Amino acid sequence: MPINETFAPARPNIDQIRDWLRAVTDPEIPVVSIVDLGIVRDVAWSEDNNSCVVTITPTYSGCPATAVIQSRIRDELEEHGIARVELRVQLSPAWTTDWLSPQGRESLRAFGIAPPAGRASGQFTTILAEIASGAPQATPPCPHCGSTHTTPISQFGSTLCKALYRCQDCLEPFDYFKCH
Amino acid sequence: MLTPSIQFAYLTRFGDTALILSQRLAEMCGKGPALEEDMALANTALDLLGQARLWLTYAGEIEAAGRDEDALAYLRGDREFHNLLLVEQPSSSYAHVLMRQFYFDVWHNLALARLESSTDPRIAEIAAKSRKETAYHLRRSSDLIVRLGDGTAESRARMASAADSLWPYTGEFFTADFVDSTMAEAGMAFDPHALRDDWLRFVRQVFEAATLHMPPLDAWMHKGGKQGLHTEHLSYLLAEMQVLHREHPGAAW
């Protein structure tokens, strides 16, 4: 048996590592993992030095949670015996809520945050048409009662990624995870 | 000829413009006319701060003189800032805050859209990332221009006054100098003048919905911000923004 196979430390496989990363959450949305949010873009073993390379992308460029998420990734993988973690930050393609997993959307809803309604878009013509029609950008279903009879209260909410809405049927206000 | 110092100058124009407007909006934190507006101002400021960090970090790398984003933000004087004059104008009234934002947001979206096809992949990716955020800003500022312009007699008069007084600072969006043209020739940037028609068309449509008159197209325009020649307001803004870092070099959380 070749020596390097006998003595090389066991490297956990990539799927296993991805699974471990599901324990890492965004500190501002503690119920959704960074994998389900689409922040983790790639996980790989580097060929040369046995470090685990985790490629992540920021949600919003000013999101203050980014630094916390990075240190949580290191801590989590260290707990599983991966001492050398290399974090790469990738801007392109830009993060979009279209990458939220079905599991992530369901977790948001169960937590009381309405998941993004529809696909992301930011075209000039879209904005103009919306202003002309006076229609609000989206009417997400209420995460509490499911009614689609909802109105925006504020275009910005407690974090960069959320807006504030109110349900006209159960009258509860709720956070809406903006389409981005 | 394209040189690192031209690239550096160009990158600081975008970085400084985002940084200075972010600071202007952050000054309003806790002073918004309504809770929703207060949150909007702070969130917009945060988006712009994140964008400023991306631009200034890259500018520091291109300059290769050991300056990082903090050194560029906190340790330069007013003549070394290359932001547009519009964004350093004071928040004299809430109408001014909104009109400054609206004029800027329209231009910012158009400019970033052009930069998305820059031959410099780093510029292209920062632009693409930023534009998603600024599209949301534009939606809000356009909406408020319409609601307050087409609002009460008082709100309309205030919006009309702000539209006129900030208008002379919009000419700088569209005037090219050696830095702009060299970057455009290298395929890294665009001809500023080429954005003017689209900008005017968008502003006109929103103003029509807001029952506001377009200020005269041939009005005299200020210039100089992109070259480091600023209105007096910038020095006061910098004094407040930089004092902590200058008094306590290297201070960190």
Side-chain angles (χ1 to χ4, degrees):
Chain A
M1 185 179 280
I3 287 171
N4 61 350
E5 270 185 35
T6 315
F7 296 105
R11 291 195 321 190
N13 72 38
I14 297 301
D15 288 343
Q16 175 67 75
I17 298 171
R18 273 189 178 273
D19 228 40
W20 289 334
L21 289 175
R22 286 184 187 277
V24 179
T25 56
D26 181 325
E28 288 173 338
I29 320 159
V31 292
V32 184
S33 84
I34 55 171
V35 175
D36 288 315
L37 268 178
I39 291 175
V40 176
R41 302 312 302 155
D42 192 41
V43 181
W45 283 101
S46 68
E47 279 307 313
D48 49 343
N49 58 5
N50 271 354
S51 65
C52 178
V53 183
V54 180
T55 305
I56 57 172
T57 192
T59 50
Y60 286 76
S61 43
C63 180
T66 308
V68 179
I69 289 170
Q70 294 188 7
S71 74
R72 285 187 178 184
I73 290 173
R74 287 186 192 283
D75 292 349
E76 184 65 28
L77 295 185
E78 200 170 314
E79 265 185 40
H80 291 283
I82 302 175
R84 301 177 65 176
V85 177
E86 187 189 329
L87 284 168
R88 288 189 192 153
V89 178
Q90 173 184 298
L91 281 189
S92 178
W95 179 81
T96 164
T97 46
D98 296 345
W99 293 344
L100 260 170
S101 72
Q103 159 87 53
R105 296 176 64 89
E106 193 39 51
S107 302
L108 281 176
R109 200 189 329 267
F111 189 60
I113 302 173
R119 311 268 304 175
S121 88
Q123 298 304 311
F124 250 34
T125 46
T126 316
I127 298 170
L128 264 185
E130 281 171 12
I131 295 163
S133 68
Q137 192 190 344
T139 50
C142 170
H144 307 296
C145 74
S147 163
T148 51
H149 196 198
T150 59
T151 50
I153 301 173
S154 171
Q155 281 160 306
F156 288 92
S158 54
T159 65
L160 284 176
C161 52
K162 287 176 250 163
L164 272 178
Y165 273 69
R166 179 192 286 115
C167 176
Q168 302 290 76
D169 286 328
C170 74
L171 304 179
E172 288 289 329
F174 63 90
D175 271 329
Y176 167 56
F177 202 94
K178 300 182 312 204
C179 228
H180 184 78
Chain B
M1 197 187 79
L2 187 68
T3 61
S5 68
I6 286 176
Q7 288 172 274
F8 174 80
Y10 192 81
L11 293 167
T12 55
R13 290 177 181 185
F14 277 83
D16 292 345
T17 296
L19 178 66
I20 299 303
L21 185 54
S22 174
Q23 177 70 13
R24 273 283 178 248
L25 295 171
E27 288 168 356
M28 302 284 295
C29 190
K31 299 176 186 168
L35 184 58
E36 292 82 358
E37 279 306 293
D38 210 75
M39 289 194 295
L41 295 170
N43 275 281
T44 305
L46 186 55
D47 276 337
L48 290 168
L49 185 63
Q51 296 170 17
R53 293 182 62 185
L54 296 173
W55 290 120
L56 293 180
T57 296
Y58 185 37
E61 289 171 24
I62 290 287
E63 187 191 38
R67 292 202 283 185
D68 63 4
E69 50 178 320
D70 284 345
L72 290 172
Y74 295 128
L75 298 174
R76 283 181 298 157
D78 62 330
R79 293 291 288 265
E80 297 164 283
F81 271 78
H82 298 133
N83 59 280
L84 296 165
L85 296 172
L86 175 72
V87 300
E88 72 198 37
Q89 298 311 305
S91 306
S92 318
S93 75
Y94 208 62
H96 283 79
V97 172
L98 294 175
M99 196 57 72
R100 182 180 65 201
Q101 193 71 37
F102 172 64
Y103 284 158
F104 171 72
D105 287 342
V106 181
W107 171 81
H108 204 202
N109 273 270
L110 291 168
L112 292 173
R114 296 290 180 117
L115 290 183
E116 279 183 43
S117 51
S118 170
T119 53
D120 179 337
R122 188 84 171 266
I123 290 180
E125 68 180 19
I126 296 174
K129 180 87 195 151
S130 303
R131 196 163 77 98
K132 294 183 62 136
E133 294 157 5
T134 55
Y136 198 76
H137 302 168
L138 177 62
R139 185 173 276 117
R140 167 177 169 272
S141 56
S142 303
D143 180 49
L144 283 168
I145 297 299
V146 174
R147 281 160 64 182
L148 291 171
D150 189 19
T152 64
E154 176 71 17
S155 74
R156 186 177 181 284
R158 283 173 175 264
M159 295 307 276
S161 164
D164 287 341
S165 69
L166 290 171
W167 184 256
Y169 296 99
T170 60
E172 205 183 14
F173 290 151
F174 313 113
T175 50
D177 66 359
F178 181 66
V179 171
D180 289 311
S181 54
T182 309
M183 288 291 287
E185 279 160 25
M188 289 187 177
F190 53 89
D191 170 16
H193 189 75
L195 306 183
R196 189 163 182 264
D197 287 349
D198 284 344
W199 187 86
L200 284 172
R201 193 175 308 122
F202 193 96
V203 171
R204 185 176 288 115
Q205 276 183 268
V206 171
F207 273 18
E208 274 170 15
T211 71
L212 295 171
H213 297 296
M214 284 293 276
L217 297 192
D218 59 352
W220 181 83
M221 293 285 173
H222 293 277
K223 60 185 176 193
K226 295 198 286 188
Q227 294 80 24
L229 299 172
H230 293 277
T231 57
E232 66 172 314
H233 309 295
L234 182 65
S235 302
Y236 294 99
L237 180 151
L238 292 181
E240 187 174 25
M241 186 179 85
Q242 297 179 333
V243 64
L244 187 86
H245 194 89
R246 288 185 185 267
E247 291 284 334
H248 305 278
W253 290 108

